[in-house]
C-alpha cells in the first residue's frame, strides 16, 4: 500500500516508524515542520514527503493531528482523495471529528474510519516517536461504514505494527469511556502535582507518586482541545470523582473509622473485580 501520514508528531511519527520498519508498505509523510520531515527521511521512517499531488495515490491516509486540525485537513483536501482511499484519524475524541468528516467522505466517495490508538508518552514531537510505542496496545476503530475487506486489511496493518487488540465501537461510546480512562486521569494528575508539598517529595516518594504524576507532563494545547470537545462526558466523571473524594474527606474529618474502612474496602473490591480477581 501507499500510506500517507499527516502529522509526524509522537503518534504520527511512531506510526511512520512502526509501519516503515515492520512492513513493506510505502510511507509518505507531511508535517508543518520541515525539520521533522527531514529527520523522518534520514532515519527512513518515511520514503518521501507527502505532496498534494501524492494524495490521490494513497491507499490509506492516517491523520495524526488535533481534532479540529484533522477536520480542517479533510475540508481543504477532500477533492484530492481518491474514492478507493481509506482515511483514518488518530485523535483522542471522536464524536466531533466523525460528525464532520463522515458526511464529507460520503459525499466525495472515500471511506472514513475514526481511530484512536491507545498509546502515548508524557513527551511529544517526532524526536520522541518510537516504533515500539504501540506494542501490546489497543486500537479503537469507529468503522460502521467501512467495507469488511478494507477493515480486515486495516486490522492486519495495526496488528503488524504491535497492537494486540482491535476494539470496534461508536463515536459516542468512545468519548464516554475515554473521559474516564484517559481524560480524567490527566485532570487528576495535573491537579495532584499542584500541591505545595510536591516540591518536597524527593526521598519521600515511590511508585504511587510516580504513577499519579507521570501524565501531568502533558501537552496543554492538545489536552485543552480534547477536554473541551468532550466536556459533557468529562464533567460527569469529574463530578463523580469529587463526590467520592468528599466522602473520604468527611469520614477523615469526622474521625469515622467505620465509614473510612468501608470506603477503602469498597475501592479495593472494585479494583479486584475490574481486574478479574473477583467474580
Amino acid at each position: 500500500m501507499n500510506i500517507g501520514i499527516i502529522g509526524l508528531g509522537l503518534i504520527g511519527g511512531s506510526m511512520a516508524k512502526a509501519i516503515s520498519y515492520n512492513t513493506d508498505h510505502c510511507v509518505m509523510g507531511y508535517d508543518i515542520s520541515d525539520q521533522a520531515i527531514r529527520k523522518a527521511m534520514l532515519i527512513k521512517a518515511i520514503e518521501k514527503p507527502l505532496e498534494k499531488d501524492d494524495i490521490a495515490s494513497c491507499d490509506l491516509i492516517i491523520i495524526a493531528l488535533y481534532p479540529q486540525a484533522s477536520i480542517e485537513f479533510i475540508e481543504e483536501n477532500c477533492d484530492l482523495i481518491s474514492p478507493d482511499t481509506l482515511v483514518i484519524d488518530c485523535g483522542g475524541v471522536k464524536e466531533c471529528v466523525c460528525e464532520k468528516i463522515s458526511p464529507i467522505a460520503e459525499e466525495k466517495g472515500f471511506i472514513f474510519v475514526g481511530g484512536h490508538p491507545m498509546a502515548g508518552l508524557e513527551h511529544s514531537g517526532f524526536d520522541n516517536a518510537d516504533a515500539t510505542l504501540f506494542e501490546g496496545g489497543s486500537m479503537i476503530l469507529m468503522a460502521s461504514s467501512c467495507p469488511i475487506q478494507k477493515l480486515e486489511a486495516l486490522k492486519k496493518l495495526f496488528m503488524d505494527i504491535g497492537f494486540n487488540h482491535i476494539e470496534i465501537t461508536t463515536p459516542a461510546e468512545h468519548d464516554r469511556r475515554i473521559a474516564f480512562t484517559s481524560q480524567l486521569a490527566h485532570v487528576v494528575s495535573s491537579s495532584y502535582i499542584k500541591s505545595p508539598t510536591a516540591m518536597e517529595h524527593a526521598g519521600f516518594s515511590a511508585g504511587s507518586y510516580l504513577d499519579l504524576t507521570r501524565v501531568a507532563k502533558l501537552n496543554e494545547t492538545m489536552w485543552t482541545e480534547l477536554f473541551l470537545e468532550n466536556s459533557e462526558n468529562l464533567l460527569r466523571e469529574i463530578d463523580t470523582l469529587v463526590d467520592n473524594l468528599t466522602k473520604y474527606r468527611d469520614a477523615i474529618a469526622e474521625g469515622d473509622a467505620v465509614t473510612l474502612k468501608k470506603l477503602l474496602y469498597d475501592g479495593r473490591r472494585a479494583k479486584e473485580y475490574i481486574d478479574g480477581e473477583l467474580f
Side-chain angles (χ1 to χ4, degrees), residues 18 50 78 84 96-97 119 123 134 138 156 192 203 214 223 228 242 244 253 266 270:
L50 178 70
C78 58
D84 294 325
C96 66
V97 173
H123 304 290
F134 310 113
S138 175
K156 183 181 184 305
Y192 175 77
R214 181 181 68 82
W223 284 99
L228 294 180
V242 170
N244 285 327
D266 289 345

Side-chain angles (χ1 to χ4, degrees), residues 92-95 116 118 138 140 142 165 167-185 230 232-234 236-237:
V93 290
K94 295 270 73 80
E95 278 199 283
H116 187 185
M118 296 308 297
S138 175
I140 307 175
M142 278 107 298
H165 180 70
E167 184 78 25
I168 307 295
T169 189
T170 65
E173 185 63 12
H174 168 277
D175 287 1
R176 183 185 72 82
R177 295 194 197 186
I178 216 70
F180 171 73
T181 61
S182 177
Q183 295 180 347
L184 181 64
N230 198 29
E232 183 177 345
N233 289 311
L234 182 54
R236 183 172 58 251
E237 294 296 343

Side-chain angles (χ1 to χ4, degrees), residues 96-134:
C96 66
V97 173
C98 292
E99 71 180 11
K100 292 283 189 178
I101 296 180
S102 293
I104 298 174
E106 184 175 356
E107 177 188 348
K108 300 298 181 180
F110 63 86
I111 301 160
F112 172 69
V113 171
H116 187 185
M118 296 308 297
L121 297 172
E122 60 270 32
H123 304 290
S124 59
F126 183 78
D127 288 340
N128 295 296
D130 186 345
T132 67
L133 182 66
F134 310 113

Side-chain angles (χ1 to χ4, degrees), residues 20 76 85 159 190 197 203 224 226 244:
S20 292
E76 293 169 6
T85 301
M159 298 297 276
S190 183
T197 314
T224 295
L226 295 178
N244 285 327

